[in-house]
Structure formats: C-alpha cells, structure tokens
Amino acid sequence: MIAIFFALSQEISSLKSQVNILKKIRHANAVFYQSEFCGFPITLVQTGIGKNVSESVQHLSKYFRIQLMVSSGFAGSVNSQVNVGDLVIGKQVLYSLQESMEGEIQIDSIFPGDTPVVDLAVKLCSNNAFKSHCGDILTVNKIIRQSVLKKHIGNQTSAIAVDMESFAIAERANAMGIPFVIIRSISDGLEDDMEIDENMVTERGNVNIPATARHLFNKPHHIPYLNRLRKQTKLATNTLSVFFPNFITQVYNSLLT
C-alpha cells in the first residue's frame, strides 16, 4: 500500500476528490482516509503541521503493510529557478537541529529518497505542463516567512525548497525499512514574504477561522498577502492533482508487487 502524507486540508484536497474513500479514521490529531485508486490500495493522511507526523506514521504501520511513504503537500522555494506551482521531487531530505536558520546552517541528518521512485517521478514529469525540479529538500521547525531568509538558506545549503514534515516521515520510513520519497509543489516563491501566523492553522491542519479573522481585523493590510497566498496554494494544489494519478498507477505497475 502507498501512504501519502499531507499536513493541511487544502493539500490533501488535491487527491481526495480523485480516490474512492472506503473508511475515515481519526487518531490523535491525524485523519486517515483508507482509499483505493483504479483498484490500487492507498491511504491519504492529514497529519497537521510539523513533527506530529511521526506518531501518525507509527499508528498507520500497525494496521497496514506500507510499501511506499510519500511526503507531499506544499513547500517554499529557496532557489531562484523554483517557482510557484512547480513540482519538487526530493533527491534527499536534509535536517538541521538549529531553531534559527540565520547565520551558518549546520546539516545534522540526511535521508535519501528511494532512487527508483525518484527516477520514475522525474520521468513522469517530462510531458506535463508544469515545471519540475529534482533536488534536496530541507525540513525546518518554523515557517520561513522572510524572503531574505529563504535566500540565505538557498545560499547556505544544497536545498531547493523547504517544508516542515518530510524529515520526520523519512526518519520513520528508514527505521522501518520502507521506501520514501518527497513530492511537493511550491506555494510560496523565493521573493515572497509570508504574512501569516502559525495559529491560523489548527493542529489537525485545517484553517483556524476565528484566529484568521482576528489576524485580519488587527492587520487589515495583510489581506492582499493572504489573497496572493490563496491563489498560489491553488496553483500548487492543481499541480499535485495533475501529477499524482499517473504516478500512483505507474508505481504500482512498475515498482510494487
């Protein structure tokens, strides 16, 4: 079975409408959608943001034989060639224990993506309308809001994009001997400052409407930034929606038994 992990409700919407959901299961802050796609078993997991994902992986592995773990959803660009709506495929995931990404960045851990799956994903992108990139992804502990900090990360590391969940998934996959890959889409570009607060998203990865309303009431000048982000996340969602159906089919037909 393929397990695809998303942090946010908007991210998982890229696939929910395209699969046949057989069962919905809640555990802690995560929601599991046991599903099938063209007859193939697949589980979609909405984990919430950050390190909550590790517990979700452990819970899922107790009940299913996972053959491939995919870390998906949105990512932020730290490379001038990687733009909003582009697909990024993780050659490897990097992680730094540093809380602050300012100054020199020390990479403490690295996990590679599964080479056959990475190669297949790259091959499948050749005929799509969207642009794709294969490179390193850096998992960070906090939202990278400032464009200047994104550029600093890009200069200091080999990463082409950043996220907040992939390392935890890769770490669990490695411990269990399960192939792993990152497939994400860019929702905020290198030049974009992120005018958002963490509490605008709930622990389960849904929009916190009261917190968002309070934020906009106190900072109405941020409305244009949120409108821009809404349009950009829609582009990123569309890219994932286009890519995944063929990817799932080809993974089962050529790599999984």
Side-chain angles (χ1 to χ4, degrees):
M1 183 202 71
I2 299 175
I4 307 180
F5 297 84
F6 302 87
L8 307 175
S9 58
Q10 185 173 0
E11 295 171 339
I12 202 170
S13 69
S14 63
L15 261 180
K16 271 180 67 178
S17 63
Q18 302 189 67
V19 302
N20 179 25
I21 297 175
L22 305 175
K23 190 174 183 180
K24 179 180 178 181
I25 304 166
R26 291 187 181 274
H27 175 73
N29 290 322
V31 183
F32 304 83
Y33 297 91
Q34 186 181 347
S35 313
E36 63 176 12
F37 178 80
C38 295
F40 298 119
I42 180 172
T43 295
L44 309 181
V45 187
Q46 182 178 325
T47 64
I49 294 175
K51 296 179 180 179
N52 293 335
V53 68
S54 184
E55 183 181 350
S56 301
V57 174
Q58 188 170 0
H59 180 76
L60 186 65
S61 65
K62 292 179 181 178
Y63 301 96
F64 300 99
R65 176 177 171 256
I66 306 174
Q67 296 169 279
L68 173 66
M69 291 187 190
V70 183
S71 173
S72 192
F74 303 147
S77 172
V78 295
N79 183 290
S80 61
Q81 302 302 310
V82 180
N83 300 307
V84 171
D86 290 359
L87 194 80
V88 289
I89 301 161
K91 192 172 183 180
Q92 51 188 6
V93 58
L94 317 177
Y95 181 67
S96 174
L97 292 170
Q98 295 172 214
E99 287 299 316
S100 172
M101 291 291 109
E102 297 177 359
E104 183 177 356
I105 299 174
Q106 176 69 42
I107 302 300
D108 298 291
S109 300
I110 300 175
F111 286 113
D114 183 75
T115 300
V117 180
V118 170
D119 291 345
L120 176 63
V122 170
K123 180 181 178 181
L124 294 177
C125 287
S126 59
N127 295 322
N128 284 310
F130 55 80
K131 290 177 62 179
S132 63
H133 312 267
C134 182
D136 296 343
I137 311 295
L138 174 67
T139 292
V140 294
N141 294 319
K142 296 180 180 180
I143 295 174
I144 305 299
R145 291 185 175 85
Q146 298 175 320
S147 171
V148 64
L149 190 52
K150 295 180 191 178
K151 294 174 182 176
H152 176 69
I153 291 171
N155 291 332
Q156 280 276 312
T157 73
S158 60
I160 61 172
V162 294
D163 70 20
M164 295 180 66
E165 296 83 26
S166 289
F167 178 77
I169 300 172
E171 188 174 42
R172 294 298 305 169
N174 181 71
M176 293 185 287
I178 298 172
F180 159 84
V181 69
I182 303 170
I183 297 173
R184 290 180 173 257
S185 187
I186 299 298
S187 59
D188 55 287
L190 183 66
E191 301 292 339
D192 295 331
D193 289 323
M194 298 288 288
E195 302 291 347
I196 59 175
D197 291 332
E198 278 91 346
N199 66 358
M200 292 168 67
V201 178
T202 69
E203 289 187 346
R204 287 183 172 173
N206 301 313
V207 175
N208 187 331
I209 295 176
T212 301
R214 285 194 299 271
H215 177 88
L216 294 178
F217 180 80
N218 294 323
K219 299 179 179 180
H221 57 286
H222 283 182
I223 292 176
Y225 294 106
L226 291 184
N227 282 335
R228 182 200 69 200
L229 183 61
R230 177 180 57 81
K231 294 176 182 178
Q232 292 178 181
T233 54
K234 184 176 181 180
L235 282 175
T237 300
N238 288 343
T239 296
L240 295 175
S241 296
V242 170
F243 175 79
F244 266 118
N246 191 32
F247 173 76
I248 294 167
T249 303
Q250 293 300 322
V251 165
Y252 270 110
N253 285 337
S254 61
L255 297 179
L256 301 183
T257 56

